[in-house]
Amino acid sequence: MLLQEREIYLDNPPLGEALGKYFKELEEAGALKPTGAEVVDVREALGRITSEPVFARISSPHYNAAAMDGIAVSAKDTFGASEKNPVRLKEGVNFWPVDTGDPLPPGCDAVIMIEEVHPLEGGEVEIVSPCAPWDNVRSIGEDVAATELIVPENHRLRPQDLSAVIAAGHETVKVRKKPKVAVIPTGSELVDPGTPLKPGDIIESNSAMLAGLVEEWGGKAIVMEKVKDDFKLIMQRVQKAVELADVVLINAGSSAGTEDYTSNCIKALGKLSVHGVAIRPGKPVVLGLIEGKPVIGIPGYPVSAYLAMELFVKPVLYKMQGLPVPGREKIKARLSRRVVSSIGTLEFLRVKVGRLGGEYVASPLSRGAGVIMSVVRADGMVRIPETKEGIEAGEYVEVELLKSQEEIENSVLIIGSHDVSIDILANEIKRFYPEITLSSAHVGSMGGIMALMRGEAHLAGIHLLDPDTGEYNVSYIKKYLPNRRIFLVNLAYRQQGLMVKKGNPKGVKGIEDLMREDITFINRQKGAGTRILLDLKLKELGIDPVQIKGYGKEEYTHLAVAATVAGGGADVGLGIMAAAKAFDLDFIPVAPERYDIAIPEEFYHTDLMQKILEIMRSDEFKKKIESLGGYDTSMTGELIGGD
């Protein structure tokens, strides 16, 4: 019977319980048995997993070989040689010239290095020190002895292993077949990359991530054609996938909406084990079996999809290859700000990590399940247990690293106001100094100053106007960081203005128009320099913010504000010219401002920071940010103020 009515989650067990139940069922069905063997050329076996042990067929070397250039001799003929009593040897009688790798002539058991041989006339040589048997000789089987184990079963072949296997007499090797994993993208809203987009369209991008993870974990991905939200069509595609692959991944349609058919499809064709797990993100995962094969419903949101792959698909693939599931490197870090979570759900919090003052600091990133950039930018993940309502600022947490600890050590954290030029700077740093990573988190100018105050950042990007002095940034540094020496380095002067759709359809002329009934505004978050500038302009004009429709709706970056205006979510937003240009918006200048980088003295003189400043001061960097529009780089890289 084809079940198409709307479903609720069948269950919502804790992660450990869900994994235990599902993997027990997979074991009982024989779904986790190591894959069968195939024979491949040794030279094409890098990274493959051996399906049986490899023993040496021959010894290496298979003859007694000279280990040096020199002469081969019988060691007994050299006994007694000294400076006072040199020994003479005659070629062809008691010595033979050899090069490295040559077989030893019959009767010889040692090699004297050419540097220790003194040629004489008449084909004779003189030596002044004796040698012992097998000096400078690679004896038979010195490297590998016939029948010796080269590599065991369930071993991932490395470059050095390939050399050893070939030297031991093998041209081919038996390895485990790569688990074949079918990826089925579902959703009527999906369109191929490059397709002109209309509202409601979603570019089908998840399959690239899913397939990439499969390949990274040793599997072979088979990405199938996307299928619309049609129960019968999805059923047919899944049946075909089960025939083709060892594991089937159905992407999207795993939740409880009217067009979420994954769970019903698995029930109709096989066994549904778990629908919904108490994790965030990734709750709507579906775990089942069809014809004894794992079939997993991967949530459609990209972060949920990534996490579901890590938690449920990765262990399946490793077990099918006879390998232990590798753990991630972990470190202890201090959480930079308070995070609230839900009791009863295990949350995976994405974080940026930096080393400051002898300890690691973790800064939370966006928690949205649809924000794939939170995974791209993340250095690690923090698990917030089901039993906790969150984590307090300053609390120490365990971070599962997504990058190496060495990368973390070479990361410079900049926290504060968003500016497009920060992204350009990060790229230029990576281009010239690949070992250095500039990691940014956008929390507004005041958020940046607070991060410096709490010791949670190396740098802060700020553009805070003091309404009393008309000066940028200096007074705020003195007020909030009075006991620390802070260097202010100018990044650029830039234009702030009103961003409106192309052609300015609402005829917006200035800040005063934000009061109009037909205007919807999109604001920046509290503490952002742009928000402070707006409030100052409103005060000058005597405008109460409550008169502005949309004043309370906030975004955290200039690009997000521009995107909201471009997408029709608002008529007007305040931001920088570069953001307006990026989204083809019209720009109405409001005020120029100075954007500076605040650097504590303890970091300013470090080698890492000096390399960053070198890039900032380069003509190439200045030209690149000027090309964005609305930037004046005449002071870029210059020191503005001290403590």
Side-chain angles (χ1 to χ4, degrees), residues 487-492 595-599 604 613 616-617 635-641:
F487 291 91
L488 279 177
V489 178
N490 179 244
L491 182 64
Y595 185 102
D596 296 333
I597 304 295
I599 312 173
Y604 183 82
L613 292 173
M616 283 179 60
R617 291 166 181 153
M635 290 291 291
T636 296
E638 297 298 316
L639 194 61
I640 298 297

Side-chain angles (χ1 to χ4, degrees), residues 550-564:
Y551 180 88
K553 187 178 179 183
E554 302 173 349
E555 288 291 354
Y556 278 77
T557 69
H558 293 284
L559 291 176
V561 170
T564 301

Side-chain angles (χ1 to χ4, degrees), residues 13 50 92 114 129 182 190 218 229 234 268 288 304 353 371-372 374 429-430 501 537 563 569 593 619:
T50 54
I114 194 66
S129 61
L190 298 181
D229 289 317
I234 294 173
S304 297
V353 181
V371 186
I372 188 59
S374 68
I429 291 168
K430 205 68 177 173
K501 279 195 171 183
K537 293 296 182 182
E593 65 173 9
D619 290 338

Side-chain angles (χ1 to χ4, degrees), residues 276-337:
V277 179
I279 57 174
R280 175 188 176 192
K283 176 182 177 180
V285 68
V286 181
L287 309 175
L289 297 93
I290 298 175
E291 296 181 15
K293 297 180 179 181
V295 180
I296 301 176
I298 304 292
Y301 278 132
V303 182
S304 297
Y306 177 86
L307 193 59
M309 291 291 289
E310 279 275 341
L311 296 175
F312 303 105
V313 180
K314 184 177 183 178
V316 168
L317 295 185
Y318 272 85
K319 287 178 181 293
M320 293 178 79
Q321 295 172 86
L323 297 174
V325 183
R328 291 196 179 277
E329 190 177 3
K330 297 176 182 178
I331 60 172
K332 290 288 185 182
R334 177 167 56 88
L335 197 67
S336 66
R337 68 175 185 268

Side-chain angles (χ1 to χ4, degrees), residues 83-392:
E83 291 282 352
K84 292 182 178 181
N85 184 35
V87 170
R88 289 191 174 196
L89 303 172
K90 188 170 182 64
E91 184 175 354
V93 177
N94 40 25
F95 87 83
W96 287 263
V98 290
D99 293 325
T100 302
D102 285 349
L104 259 61
C108 296
D109 61 3
V111 172
I112 301 173
M113 290 188 296
I114 194 66
E115 295 89 345
E116 297 177 1
V117 175
H118 307 286
L120 301 173
E121 294 181 355
E124 289 189 322
V125 297
E126 185 179 79
I127 60 171
V128 295
S129 61
C131 61
W134 309 112
D135 274 359
N136 300 319
V137 174
R138 294 190 68 219
S139 57
I140 294 173
E142 177 189 83
D143 187 4
V144 176
T147 74
E148 181 182 350
L149 176 67
I150 305 301
V151 290
E153 183 178 349
N154 293 337
H155 176 80
R156 189 183 297 279
L157 290 165
R158 305 165 298 171
Q160 59 267 41
D161 299 326
L162 304 186
S163 177
V165 170
I166 291 172
H170 295 272
E171 296 178 19
T172 60
V173 63
K174 282 188 177 181
V175 295
R176 298 208 182 282
K177 292 180 180 178
K178 292 186 175 185
K180 290 185 288 186
V181 182
V183 178
I184 307 174
T186 72
S188 301
E189 71 281 9
L190 298 181
V191 297
D192 293 327
T195 303
L197 300 177
K198 61 181 185 299
D201 287 346
I202 296 177
I203 297 173
E204 199 290 285
S205 61
N206 274 356
S207 64
M209 176 176 67
L210 272 53
L213 290 171
V214 166
E215 299 282 344
E216 186 177 291
W217 298 331
K220 179 176 175 57
I222 305 169
V223 179
M224 306 185 76
E225 180 63 33
K226 63 184 183 295
V227 58
K228 294 181 178 181
D229 289 317
D230 181 288
F231 187 69
K232 289 183 179 179
L233 292 177
I234 294 173
M235 287 265 289
Q236 292 169 4
R237 191 62 52 85
V238 171
Q239 286 174 314
K240 182 178 179 181
V242 171
E243 294 173 5
L244 293 173
D246 304 301
V247 180
V248 176
L249 307 180
I250 309 171
N251 186 214
S254 63
S255 192
T258 55
E259 294 184 337
D260 290 325
Y261 298 126
T262 298
S263 61
N264 286 333
C265 178
I266 294 175
K267 278 198 297 185
L269 296 174
K271 179 179 181 180
L272 179 64
S273 178
V274 176
H275 184 193
V277 179
I279 57 174
R280 175 188 176 192
K283 176 182 177 180
V285 68
V286 181
L287 309 175
L289 297 93
I290 298 175
E291 296 181 15
K293 297 180 179 181
V295 180
I296 301 176
I298 304 292
Y301 278 132
V303 182
S304 297
Y306 177 86
L307 193 59
M309 291 291 289
E310 279 275 341
L311 296 175
F312 303 105
V313 180
K314 184 177 183 178
V316 168
L317 295 185
Y318 272 85
K319 287 178 181 293
M320 293 178 79
Q321 295 172 86
L323 297 174
V325 183
R328 291 196 179 277
E329 190 177 3
K330 297 176 182 178
I331 60 172
K332 290 288 185 182
R334 177 167 56 88
L335 197 67
S336 66
R337 68 175 185 268
R338 183 171 183 258
V339 173
V340 177
S341 192
S342 302
I343 287 284
T345 299
L346 171 63
E347 181 172 358
F348 291 79
L349 179 70
R350 284 84 71 199
V351 294
K352 297 293 299 180
V353 181
R355 191 171 183 85
L356 295 102
E359 66 178 359
Y360 292 107
V361 175
S363 299
L365 292 168
S366 172
R367 299 162 78 182
V371 186
I372 188 59
M373 287 304 295
S374 68
V375 179
V376 172
R377 295 190 176 109
D379 297 320
M381 290 196 183
V382 173
R383 298 191 184 205
I384 305 178
E386 305 94 320
T387 55
K388 296 192 68 172
E389 292 183 328
I391 304 174
E392 294 298 326

